[in-house]
Amino acid sequence: MQDQNFNKQVYHPLDSVEDVEEFYQAIRREKLTHKLAPERPYCYWTIETYDKSNGIRGGGGLGVLAADMRRVAEQLQVPFVLVTPFYPWESHQRMENMEQIDYHTEKHYQDFGFNFVDTVNIKTATGAVALDVIEKRLGSSRFLCVTEPNFGELYSGESGSDHRLYQEVSLGFGGYKALKLVGCRPGIIQLNEVATFFAAVARLDELVDSGMDFYEAVVYTRKHTLYTNHTLVQAAEATFHYDQFERYVFPNIKSTSVRRWLSDKFTDGMIRLSTPTVEIAELRSGVSKLHARVANYHDINGNKIKFKSITNGIHMRTWTLPEIMDYYHNNNILDKFDLPTIREFEENVNKISAEDIRHLKGLGREKLNDILSHRTDQYGNPVFIPRDAMLFDFKRRFVDYKRPWLPFTDPERLAKILQENNAHYILAGRVHMGDTTMFKKLMDLLHLIDSHPILKERVHYLPDYDEELGLGLSLGANSSINTPIVGLEACGTSWMKDIANMGILISTHDGGVADRPADSYLTVDGKNEAQEVEELYRQMDVAAKAWQNDFDLEYWIHKELIAYLDVISGSRMMRDYLNYLF
Ligand SMILES: *Cc1c(COP(=O)(O)O)cnc(C)c1O
């Protein structure tokens, strides 16, 4: 029931092999078909995937990105394998008497169309663990997953714990064995963050074990491994002890030279996985221009690591109202690859009329209300946003740097903006399990809303933020608020969903938003937080007034689409990766 709206999104794969050749030619990579093939695919390793319709729930943007990479690969017919765990458990939240309750549900891969392939073994110091290898093929792409009943859920246990290391070892070594099992040899390995590092070790070890000279094997592995970083500070990364490696990692490595190489990466008996990752991956990328510039990583000799910037994109056909996608295609704004058209792109965007925008947003609002009808707010009631009301939204994981509380700094001011403009405000979020600080901040917010008659009527909190809510709010909200502390968002993708669906973005100049000039959207800046709050309220007023005035509405929607459609396009992201890799 819950999945229905999401699954309704249909894929329009490209028509023919000629189309694929044309795409490769369009990105000037004619020979790509020789580098990537079904048995030599693009292999994308990730500890997190966010694809509910395929039974795998993630935690946030990292997982959404992985799912979208696969969807884009499927659409563009790129041979692609997503190697990821299938978690037998997932965590959820609901509200009861204004309290947030965590609960867990069990998942069975058989229910999501996965096929059992075989088992592979992972060794530990005291024995072996058998992992089930399961797969699901979708066009040129496939999910290849490892799982077992005690695998647990995503991010269970502390970071740096034995269980996390066990999950990462299973994904790396187990996933690599799984790849062999289904007859594939990686054309390229992309490591989506360092939790996937052991996939590169497995490859290196295989090469050395099969007789290749150690240094040659290192060079070979380096050339074919891309490490994508999403984090800003190396210091924030988990550390593991040498004895944890003795128990979980070393038993899986056959070659003594590989083991020695890895042992040398410990300092005072501790290791951060980024240290060996940057050595084994010659290709390294960050996820926005700003992030690639400011990510502060050093190699073992203290030299700063350079990252190539490849800004995240979204799979547009998943996250955009189908009627809006048709509109972009029919009006020659996007081509059949979902890339902005080369000629007349700006002219065509500038022809979008306020009437069309309002009509399409109206359809989006209907879809949002469908979704809201089976979700509940902090009081346990479904929410309905009238067609003629303006809707602001703030939807993200509740983490401090994203500042979900910012618009509530001056409750009277917020109430006035909402009431004067007949506006509602939806706050959708998810507190990371065990984050007691953010949980308390959320509770304080909910009590504040409860105590204020206008806010109580117009502000709705929706727990258990997930893809369905992310999609629904992008379709149906008029203006979205994105206010990370500048410098702390690596990229962010929910703002992309909002722009793709013709919403007006109010944002700090951070992450992928900062790929384009600050006058491309309603920017929130200031020397300190008080000034930012002031700007935020001012821009909320500007957004509300723009929706009451055709000229301003067209001005902002045109500006955003011209600036960001190519940034947003997942096909652009795939093109950038392929260009960097080959
Ligand atoms: C799009 C999406 C994200 C990405 O969020 P950012 O805060 O922009 O990184 C996270 N979670 C869900 C459920 C999403 O749909």
Side-chain angles (χ1 to χ4, degrees):
M1 173 63 193
Q2 213 128 313
D3 285 340
Q4 262 178 20
N5 279 296
F6 200 78
N7 290 340
K8 241 185 250 159
Q9 303 276 318
V10 280
Y11 288 96
H12 305 273
L14 296 178
D15 300 321
S16 64
V17 175
E18 286 73 40
D19 274 341
V20 181
E21 288 298 337
E22 196 186 317
F23 173 70
Y24 289 164
Q25 272 166 27
I27 65 172
R28 286 187 223 88
R29 281 292 172 270
E30 295 89 344
K31 302 243 168 57
L32 211 58
T33 27
H34 302 294
K35 305 229 169 173
L36 292 175
E39 66 289 351
R40 208 169 53 257
Y42 189 134
C43 297
Y44 191 96
W45 250 271
T46 183
I47 195 85
E48 180 182 336
T49 300
Y50 210 137
D51 190 337
K52 201 166 145 186
S53 56
N54 286 305
I56 309 178
R57 187 183 193 179
L62 187 82
V64 172
L65 176 74
D68 274 1
M69 273 294 282
R70 190 207 59 74
R71 293 179 181 123
V72 171
E74 180 186 350
Q75 187 191 333
L76 299 174
Q77 297 186 37
V78 177
F80 190 90
V81 179
L82 188 78
V83 190
T84 194
F86 186 96
Y87 295 96
W89 289 93
E90 73 182 25
S91 82
H92 288 272
Q93 302 171 332
R94 66 167 183 272
M95 299 291 299
E96 249 172 47
N97 306 321
M98 294 264 293
E99 290 286 334
Q100 183 158 296
I101 316 276
D102 287 304
Y103 65 101
H104 304 263
T105 54
E106 202 171 349
K107 312 286 287 216
H108 301 280
Y109 62 77
Q110 297 86 348
D111 298 342
F112 296 93
F114 281 87
N115 294 315
F116 173 77
V117 180
D118 205 345
T119 57
V120 292
N121 282 325
I122 286 298
K123 295 196 187 111
T124 68
T126 51
V129 180
L131 300 169
D132 284 357
V133 174
I134 59 171
E135 74 163 345
K136 181 173 180 177
R137 294 192 193 207
L138 292 156
S140 67
S141 78
R142 70 171 121 194
F143 285 94
L144 188 61
C145 304
V146 288
T147 188
E148 52 93 9
N150 296 315
F151 206 81
E153 58 184 50
L154 174 65
Y155 303 141
S156 49
E158 297 285 308
S159 75
S161 67
D162 282 5
H163 191 70
R164 289 278 185 94
L165 185 59
Y166 158 69
Q167 288 183 334
E168 295 173 11
V169 162
S170 299
L171 177 62
F173 292 102
Y176 197 79
K177 286 185 176 175
L179 202 61
K180 300 271 126 178
L181 206 58
V182 297
C184 291
R185 187 157 68 79
I188 194 83
I189 289 181
Q190 183 166 359
L191 305 174
N192 194 31
E193 265 304 344
V194 295
T196 61
F197 159 68
F198 298 110
V201 179
R203 185 174 215 202
L204 177 66
D205 190 45
E206 181 195 42
L207 294 173
V208 177
D209 188 54
S210 68
M212 198 185 269
D213 167 73
F214 174 73
Y215 292 99
E216 253 176 66
V218 169
V219 169
Y220 187 87
T221 307
R222 276 172 61 83
K223 265 200 165 6
H224 295 91
T225 304
L226 164 63
Y227 157 45
T228 299
N229 171 283
H230 297 253
T231 321
L232 288 143
V233 269
Q234 203 163 14
E237 195 184 307
T239 50
F240 293 105
H241 280 277
Y242 192 82
D243 68 79
Q244 289 179 294
F245 267 51
E246 286 198 313
R247 280 181 280 133
Y248 293 99
V249 180
F250 295 140
N252 293 291
I253 299 177
K254 295 190 201 87
S255 146
T256 41
S257 42
V258 175
R259 217 175 301 156
R260 199 175 321 119
W261 170 78
L262 195 50
S263 301
D264 285 347
K265 302 298 168 279
F266 281 79
T267 314
D268 300 330
M270 305 291 287
I271 194 171
R272 282 202 173 90
L273 295 183
S274 58
T275 309
T277 304
V278 295
E279 281 199 18
I280 204 62
E282 191 173 291
L283 305 155
R284 301 149 189 167
S285 64
V287 291
S288 70
K289 288 188 169 147
L290 180 64
H291 168 243
R293 209 164 55 238
V294 302
N296 196 10
Y297 276 66
H298 294 85
D299 66 17
I300 200 159
N301 303 316
N303 300 317
K304 189 145 194 261
I305 305 291
K306 285 209 177 75
F307 291 98
K308 162 97 179 159
S309 79
I310 297 181
T311 303
N312 289 343
I314 54 172
H315 182 243
M316 295 201 66
R317 294 174 194 210
T318 295
W319 297 107
T320 313
L321 186 77
E323 288 84 351
I324 293 185
M325 279 314 274
D326 288 347
Y327 185 90
Y328 290 150
H329 288 134
N330 296 339
N331 291 289
N332 215 14
I333 290 167
L334 291 179
D335 67 14
K336 63 179 165 186
F337 307 116
D338 297 345
L339 291 167
T341 47
I342 295 168
R343 255 168 268 136
E344 293 165 25
F345 167 70
E346 280 199 40
E347 265 177 81
N348 292 334
V349 171
N350 281 327
K351 284 184 204 149
I352 302 175
S353 69
E355 194 188 345
D356 291 345
I357 299 167
R358 291 183 199 285
H359 168 71
L360 292 164
K361 237 337 153 202
L363 299 176
R365 177 65 62 82
E366 277 173 31
K367 293 231 173 146
L368 171 62
N369 277 324
D370 280 351
I371 290 171
L372 293 181
S373 69
H374 60 249
R375 308 283 300 222
T376 51
D377 66 7
Q378 67 267 45
Y379 304 105
N381 301 321
V383 173
F384 178 82
I385 307 294
R387 173 76 189 260
D388 62 353
M390 152 101 191
L391 177 61
F392 290 100
D393 78 302
F394 184 106
K395 50 178 175 323
R396 35 210 91 245
R397 284 178 300 123
F398 266 57
V399 286
D400 214 41
Y401 82 86
K402 291 181 186 264
R403 301 190 289 187
W405 32 265
L406 204 63
F408 295 88
T409 313
D410 182 348
E412 293 311 321
R413 194 75 188 276
L414 177 63
K416 186 160 175 283
I417 294 170
L418 297 181
Q419 196 167 38
E420 274 183 9
N421 296 292
N422 183 24
H424 288 249
Y425 186 109
I426 289 185
L427 183 63
R430 201 175 147 78
V431 180
H432 198 293
M433 270 228 295
D435 186 347
T436 47
T437 316
M438 276 318 275
F439 186 74
K440 171 143 193 331
K441 285 195 184 184
L442 171 63
M443 286 306 138
D444 290 348
L445 266 189
L446 295 182
H447 288 297
L448 168 71
I449 295 163
D450 192 56
S451 68
H452 194 294
I454 297 173
L455 297 184
K456 191 167 177 177
E457 183 194 334
R458 295 188 175 272
V459 180
H460 319 275
Y461 171 69
L462 296 169
D464 212 22
Y465 172 52
D466 60 3
E467 286 161 295
E468 187 194 42
L469 270 182
L471 174 69
L473 287 167
S474 294
L475 300 181
N478 302 88
S479 178
S480 59
I481 296 171
N482 177 51
T483 49
I485 295 173
V486 173
L488 296 189
E489 187 70 84
C491 180
T493 53
S494 58
W495 62 270
M496 298 183 181
K497 303 165 192 168
D498 303 325
I499 291 181
N501 287 293
M502 302 183 175
I504 295 183
L505 176 67
I506 298 173
S507 178
T508 47
H509 200 56
D510 198 23
V513 175
D515 266 30
R516 293 289 178 268
D519 66 358
S520 313
Y521 62 96
L522 295 180
T523 183
V524 171
D525 62 4
K527 288 196 190 63
N528 51 45
E529 198 168 286
Q531 281 183 11
E532 286 180 296
V533 169
E534 197 56 37
E535 274 300 286
L536 171 63
Y537 290 131
R538 195 180 66 76
Q539 300 290 36
M540 285 178 77
D541 236 348
V542 172
K545 296 296 176 303
W547 277 94
Q548 294 158 25
N549 169 319
D550 286 356
F551 182 84
D552 290 350
L553 181 59
E554 287 172 6
Y555 177 83
W556 284 111
I557 299 298
H558 296 170
K559 219 169 167 118
E560 284 182 352
L561 290 174
I562 289 169
Y564 290 109
L565 259 188
D566 77 316
V567 178
I568 291 171
S569 166
S571 304
R572 186 276 314 151
M573 166 175 67
M574 181 63 82
R575 180 195 66 196
D576 289 354
Y577 276 123
L578 294 175
N579 275 334
Y580 181 49
L581 292 170
F582 299 108

